[in-house]
Amino acid sequence: MTHGIRTVFLKELIDTLRDRKTLIFMLLVPTLLTPGLIFGIGSIAINILKQNALSPVVIAADERTQQLYRQMVFDEFLRSDVGKILKYTRSPLVAYFVGPGALNDMMKTVPPMALRDPVEFEKWTRAMTANAKETLVGDVQLGGAYDTISEFHANQSPANQDMMNRMGVALFDFYALTVRGLGLVDFVDPSRISTDAKYAVKDLPFALSQQADGAKIYGAIQSREIQGFMIINNDLSSLAERKDQTAEVIFYYDSTIALSNEANSRVHGVVDRASMGIVKERVQNQKLTPNFLTAVEMRKGTNLASRSQITMEALGGLLPYLFLTFAFLGAIYPAIDLGAGEKERNTLETLLLSPVTRTEIALGKFALIFSSSLVAALLGVLSMSLSFVYLVPKSVADQLEFHVDLMTGISVAMLAIPPAAAFAGLFLAVSIFARSFKEAQNYLSPMGLALILPAMAGMIPGLEMGWIEAAIPLVNVSMLSKEFLKGNIHWGYYAMTFGSCFAFAAVCLSYCIFQFRREEVLFRS
Amino acid sequence: MIEVENLTKSFRDRRKGILHAVKGVTFASKPGEVFGLLGPNGAGKTTALRIISTALKPTEGRGTVMGFDCAREPEKVRQSIGFLAANTGLYGRLTPRETLRYFGSLFGMGHRQLDSRIEELAFAFAMTDFLDRPCDKLSTGMKQKVNIARSVIHSPEAMILDEPTTGLDVLTSRHIVEFVRKCRNDQKTVLLSTHIMSEVKRLCDRVGIIHQGQLRFVGTLTEFEAAHGSDLEEAFINIVGGPVP
Ligand SMILES: Nc1ncnc2c1ncn2[C@@H]1O[C@H](COP(=O)(O)OP(=O)(O)OP(=O)(O)O)[C@@H](O)[C@H]1O
Ligand SMILES: [Mg+2]
């Protein structure tokens, strides 16, 4: 019995290893997909970051509005912690950090002492640099040494520059920030808008028609010449004193255009912050404490899940999704080749006329497809793990803190076995049933789509693992590996997962053997 | 020795209902003798040969090869026959050597035994030059040789050849002709099917003429000529066109 299985297996192994298509899907795709994705997504993310965070949006506004906006930003800036420091140091402060949010995060961690004393502040920044990953601030350079970002860049060590490039670090200098208006806005005079009106604008308010030609502006947004149009109707100065007055800012934009939407949120942010600063001053002027504004506050840091669990809840579904996909890819081509391929090449009859039993033939073929699927899945997981360790920028990887011990790692890797068995059985059965290569492909390709559902089970929020889920082949693999990664070890479900997938594979295998025994398998035409 | 007795095979056909591909066929083919099953397209030749080679089960009647029943002892029958059809394919990515090794192994042959058998066959069929080239890259003639060698890797007592020369040119079919003659000299039983009259004349000792699933004539070539005249083509058409005896 084993002799026949081994003979069939070894022959199919040689045959498969010489098939370029199978090799690509079994070895190359699983190995290269994750690094490719990381590089791809990484560079796209960096590009988006650069484009959105660094490039100012262009907003049209008349001279007066521009001035008022700058005033608002400057006042707001002076009210901010950074502004307070700048007041002391009176020098350009250059910092680089990942993403726009990092600045705020950084400022939150500045101790009060450091805020009052520039020397203390510098000490603090040096200390921060030492454990930079904590706050995402790579380095903070303080003092008058560098006037511009390029100068700052030029004075960094090659290793530092390399690191900045690799991390896709966004560079901000506080001067540019203040001058351009913290929200990174460039203004143009409405009279300079060149685009001819393409659309008639009926219902722009009266105020707009006083400032500029409404239709012209809408056309300019459509043609991407500007991203929005701003009007500030009221004087913004001493609003803190004029405590019953509300100034009005109007911003016209088109939410269906990404950059225009972005412009709106930047302007919104600036206006909200400025407004809040003024409100705080008003509150203080009334001899009230800032607590006046916050009656009830939610305490931070009450999430009891570990960081590892939080990360895995978010990302744990991705791993089974990928390895189910790899197992699928690793199985599909050999399955087509070993089943329908025998008919296509007219080799099935001679094979069936050899004295090995049909069971041996089916098992030998199954073993090869199973191995191919398993190799693909394991290679995929291995490549993914290595990619995460070596390719993901450290700053990102540190955010995704998780802990997987060896035992869990091995248990999860072994979860590649049940789907490989299930796929091998199912695909071989379908492939043997099919009359030709093409027919087999037609049957099997849609299964790739059908697979997405069970594979994503681990990513569906709110779906909890139970005995029923553990009994559904593939769904159980997806959900269980996520649970294991989160640290919820449940050997009962584990056994159930193996059992149900193997049972499924066994049913498929019996069908294969049944097909091989049927006369019609040879002569269906 | 191949014997069939009242062999019948019916297929269920969706349109035509029950179709008798082979009906009450009886004949015997002895060692050292080439038996030719001659008949037009759709006569039932392939079906009959497939029953004997154990790929199909007969609806009625029985076939035996070397005394083993085709339906009840298929493994033993498979060990005793070599099967070759014109359209039999090869695994393109395997070399002839690997192909022979694979089938030899399927037939339960050991490593050493296989190696010497492959050498022997490579020499006999002049395959030494391309023994280690992928089958995909071989010419039709080379492939035919590999296929023949494959069918006799386990030294079967009987050969079953289904229209072995169909689609081959004169030169390539000569390999087959020589092979069949060699089998006869080696006292093997050879059963072949064909629809070419001249092939029967060239190769066969005995002939069975089959039409619409039924044998219309069984006998030696000399008997055939004595009964129907020396123009075989004419005689064949007469028999096939004539009433069922
Ligand atoms: N699996 C099958 N199901 C239904 N009918 C079949 C099947 N196999 C063969 N037949 C029918 O049986 C008859 C005999 O077919 P067979 O292939 O044995 O003829 P043949 O003599 O080999 O013809 P050819 O010269 O074309 O090879 C044909 O009418 C064919 O359509
Ligand atoms: Mg035929």
Side-chain angles (χ1 to χ4, degrees):
Chain A
M1 177 85 177
T2 50
H3 172 79
I5 299 174
R6 203 176 60 227
T7 304
V8 173
F9 176 80
L10 288 177
K11 176 260 161 186
E12 299 296 7
L13 181 64
I14 298 175
D15 211 352
T16 301
L17 288 178
R18 288 189 191 151
D19 181 16
R20 207 164 299 149
K21 205 159 160 196
T22 308
L23 274 192
I24 288 173
F25 281 100
M26 185 173 100
L27 303 177
L28 222 59
V29 171
T31 316
L32 297 184
L33 188 70
T34 329
L37 277 180
I38 288 176
F39 272 122
I41 292 177
S43 58
I44 289 171
I46 286 169
N47 270 337
I48 290 174
L49 202 73
K50 276 185 183 152
Q51 271 172 14
N52 283 359
L54 285 181
S55 64
V57 292
V58 181
I59 292 173
D62 68 337
E63 195 66 30
R64 201 178 86 100
T65 296
Q66 292 184 27
Q67 262 174 21
L68 286 173
Y69 184 78
R70 290 214 176 90
Q71 187 59 48
M72 172 164 66
V73 166
F74 193 65
D75 286 351
E76 200 266 312
F77 179 70
L78 286 184
R79 245 179 261 115
S80 78
D81 296 331
V82 182
K84 283 178 199 153
I85 299 157
L86 274 192
K87 265 196 257 180
Y88 292 113
T89 60
R90 296 184 180 285
S91 58
L93 173 73
V94 179
Y96 70 88
F97 40 83
V98 182
L103 173 63
N104 286 332
D105 290 348
M106 179 188 92
M107 293 321 299
K108 275 184 211 133
T109 62
V110 185
M113 256 295 270
L115 277 180
R116 262 173 266 119
D117 183 354
V119 183
E120 280 298 312
F121 183 77
E122 180 150 9
K123 260 199 224 159
W124 170 78
T125 55
R126 297 271 168 255
M128 274 234 315
T129 320
N131 55 2
K133 61 183 174 189
E134 273 302 305
T135 51
L136 276 183
V137 179
D139 193 7
V140 175
Q141 194 77 36
L142 190 69
Y146 316 118
D147 287 331
T148 61
I149 289 175
S150 46
E151 198 183 326
F152 167 74
H153 239 302
N155 281 287
Q156 296 303 308
S157 69
N160 244 0
Q161 285 181 6
D162 178 56
M163 199 233 329
M164 281 161 32
N165 288 337
R166 217 159 31 82
M167 288 167 63
V169 158
L171 273 164
F172 291 88
D173 86 45
F174 287 8
Y175 255 13
L177 231 57
T178 53
V179 170
R180 281 179 175 171
L182 229 126
L184 283 168
V185 167
D186 265 353
F187 284 109
V188 293
D189 196 288
S191 61
R192 297 247 180 81
I193 299 172
S194 61
T195 320
D196 287 334
K198 289 189 188 106
Y199 305 88
V201 178
K202 278 187 239 120
D203 44 17
L204 281 186
F206 174 63
L208 185 60
S209 58
Q210 279 188 326
Q211 308 282 341
D213 178 349
K216 215 172 173 185
I217 285 160
Y218 190 66
I221 293 179
Q222 293 304 312
S223 68
R224 311 296 194 268
E225 195 177 355
I226 58 170
Q227 275 86 49
F229 189 95
M230 190 185 335
I231 302 157
I232 300 175
N233 279 332
N234 311 72
D235 186 6
L236 296 172
S237 61
S238 58
L239 266 174
E241 282 75 45
R242 294 182 286 128
K243 59 180 194 307
D244 350 296
Q245 286 188 19
T246 302
E248 190 187 40
V249 178
I250 306 169
F251 190 71
Y252 296 103
Y253 70 108
D254 181 340
S255 68
T256 60
I257 296 173
L259 267 183
S260 186
N261 210 28
E262 166 81 16
N264 179 50
S265 61
R266 282 182 194 174
V267 168
H268 240 284
V270 168
V271 171
D272 281 351
R273 282 196 301 270
S275 173
M276 200 59 207
I278 294 169
V279 167
K280 275 187 183 152
E281 269 183 55
R282 283 179 177 180
V283 164
Q284 259 161 3
N285 291 346
Q286 295 289 308
K287 306 274 179 297
L288 298 168
T289 62
N291 286 350
F292 180 80
L293 287 173
T294 358
V296 182
E297 191 181 35
M298 286 293 286
R299 172 91 67 91
K300 290 207 174 66
T302 50
N303 187 352
L304 293 180
S306 70
R307 278 184 78 175
S308 172
Q309 277 173 319
I310 294 170
T311 306
M312 278 311 164
E313 177 61 34
L315 287 182
L318 201 62
L319 177 99
Y321 178 72
L322 284 179
F323 83 51
L324 282 172
T325 308
F326 294 142
F328 177 89
L329 288 178
I332 191 160
Y333 280 99
I336 293 174
D337 203 50
L338 268 57
E342 293 266 9
K343 293 186 196 177
E344 187 93 9
R345 284 186 286 262
N346 274 318
T347 46
L348 186 57
E349 185 165 13
T350 40
L351 177 62
L352 293 183
L353 288 183
S354 72
V356 262
T357 63
R358 310 285 153 102
T359 311
E360 286 170 285
I361 296 173
L363 281 175
K365 285 177 180 288
F366 171 84
L368 189 273
I369 301 166
F370 169 74
S371 313
S372 166
S373 176
L374 193 63
V375 166
L378 289 179
L379 267 181
V381 175
L382 189 71
S383 147
M384 184 159 53
S385 317
L386 292 179
S387 305
F388 267 111
V389 175
Y390 292 108
L391 290 182
V392 171
K394 212 171 152 10
S395 57
V396 178
D398 288 334
Q399 283 297 94
L400 307 173
E401 180 200 299
F402 58 87
H403 173 76
V404 176
D405 59 44
L406 188 66
M407 176 72 173
T408 311
I410 292 174
S411 318
V412 170
M414 276 178 43
L415 278 177
I417 296 174
F423 286 144
L426 178 65
F427 294 175
L428 184 61
V430 172
S431 177
I432 288 169
F433 174 78
R435 270 170 281 214
S436 66
F437 219 95
K438 202 157 210 147
E439 202 179 308
Q441 261 172 336
N442 288 346
Y443 292 146
L444 288 177
S445 306
M447 289 194 184
L449 280 179
L451 164 75
I452 294 177
L453 223 59
M456 298 244 290
M459 291 194 251
I460 299 172
L463 195 59
E464 294 279 335
M465 182 111 208
W467 284 106
I468 293 174
E469 285 78 8
I472 307 172
L474 303 184
V475 170
N476 50 17
V477 175
S478 174
M479 299 188 69
L480 190 69
S481 44
K482 179 178 164 185
E483 289 302 317
F484 267 59
L485 289 173
K486 273 161 70 181
N488 305 335
I489 310 290
H490 194 305
W491 293 112
Y493 293 162
Y494 198 80
M496 184 64 149
T497 299
F498 268 74
S500 85
C501 284
F502 282 175
F504 177 72
V507 170
C508 292
L509 251 179
S510 342
Y511 178 76
C512 293
I513 296 165
F514 163 75
Q515 274 291 342
F516 270 144
R517 292 219 173 110
R518 270 156 49 101
E519 294 180 348
E520 284 82 351
V521 71
L522 266 181
F523 316 114
R524 220 162 69 92
S525 58
Chain B
M1 185 78 170
I2 296 175
E3 288 171 293
V4 297
E5 210 183 303
N6 190 28
L7 208 59
T8 301
K9 179 73 184 178
S10 317
F11 292 113
R12 224 178 291 277
D13 192 286
R14 231 176 279 151
R15 268 166 299 155
K16 292 181 235 162
I18 297 212
L19 185 140
H20 302 287
V22 175
K23 209 165 154 188
V25 167
T26 303
F27 66 84
S29 167
K30 297 186 201 66
E33 183 186 88
V34 179
F35 188 99
L37 211 48
L38 180 66
N41 292 131
K45 306 181 290 290
T46 301
T47 307
L49 296 190
R50 276 178 170 164
I51 296 171
I52 299 164
S53 68
T54 75
L56 296 178
K57 296 266 175 285
T59 315
E60 258 177 69
R62 65 182 217 133
T64 58
V65 177
M66 313 312 294
F68 301 119
D69 188 296
C70 297
R72 265 174 285 153
E73 300 162 292
E75 289 82 13
K76 289 192 175 136
V77 172
R78 287 174 199 164
Q79 278 288 4
S80 346
I81 56 165
F83 183 88
L84 180 66
N87 65 352
T88 302
L90 291 169
Y91 299 106
R93 293 185 292 266
L94 296 191
T95 65
R97 189 192 297 282
E98 287 160 347
T99 307
L100 296 179
R101 196 166 278 153
Y102 178 44
F103 281 95
S105 185
L106 289 178
F107 277 96
M109 296 168 74
H111 250 290
R112 205 158 311 151
Q113 185 193 4
L114 245 174
D115 283 343
S116 62
R117 177 70 177 150
I118 290 171
E119 285 309 310
E120 190 184 324
L121 289 171
F123 180 74
F125 294 107
M127 306 195 307
T128 354
D129 287 346
F130 54 87
L131 207 52
D132 295 304
R133 261 195 270 162
C135 288
D136 265 345
K137 304 263 154 68
L138 302 182
S139 71
T140 314
M142 293 169 174
K143 281 185 190 154
Q144 200 56 38
K145 287 180 178 180
V146 178
N147 242 330
I148 298 172
R150 193 219 79 239
S151 70
V152 297
I153 184 77
H154 54 298
S155 318
E157 282 307 308
M159 286 304 301
I160 297 179
L161 310 171
D162 190 9
E163 303 201 22
T165 57
T166 304
L168 301 181
D169 64 23
V170 193
L171 269 173
T172 330
S173 32
R174 275 223 355 230
H175 300 312
I176 304 278
V177 173
E178 280 162 19
F179 170 66
V180 169
R181 295 208 168 121
K182 187 172 178 304
C183 286
R184 175 165 53 192
N185 291 345
D186 294 347
Q187 291 299 305
K188 310 245 164 168
T189 309
V190 182
L191 171 58
L192 65 83
S193 79
T194 179
H195 59 264
I196 307 164
M197 206 57 216
S198 57
E199 206 164 87
V200 174
K201 214 168 178 181
R202 193 149 55 129
L203 286 174
C204 302
D205 306 302
R206 275 155 58 77
V207 60
I209 296 187
I210 186 169
H211 183 49
Q212 291 175 342
Q214 285 172 302
L215 267 189
R216 302 294 179 85
F217 173 91
V218 190
T220 62
L221 264 184
T222 1
E223 284 168 359
F224 184 83
E225 279 176 34
H228 301 282
S230 58
D231 189 339
L232 285 181
E233 206 101 357
E234 190 72 17
F236 175 65
I237 289 165
N238 280 343
I239 291 175
V240 161
V244 182

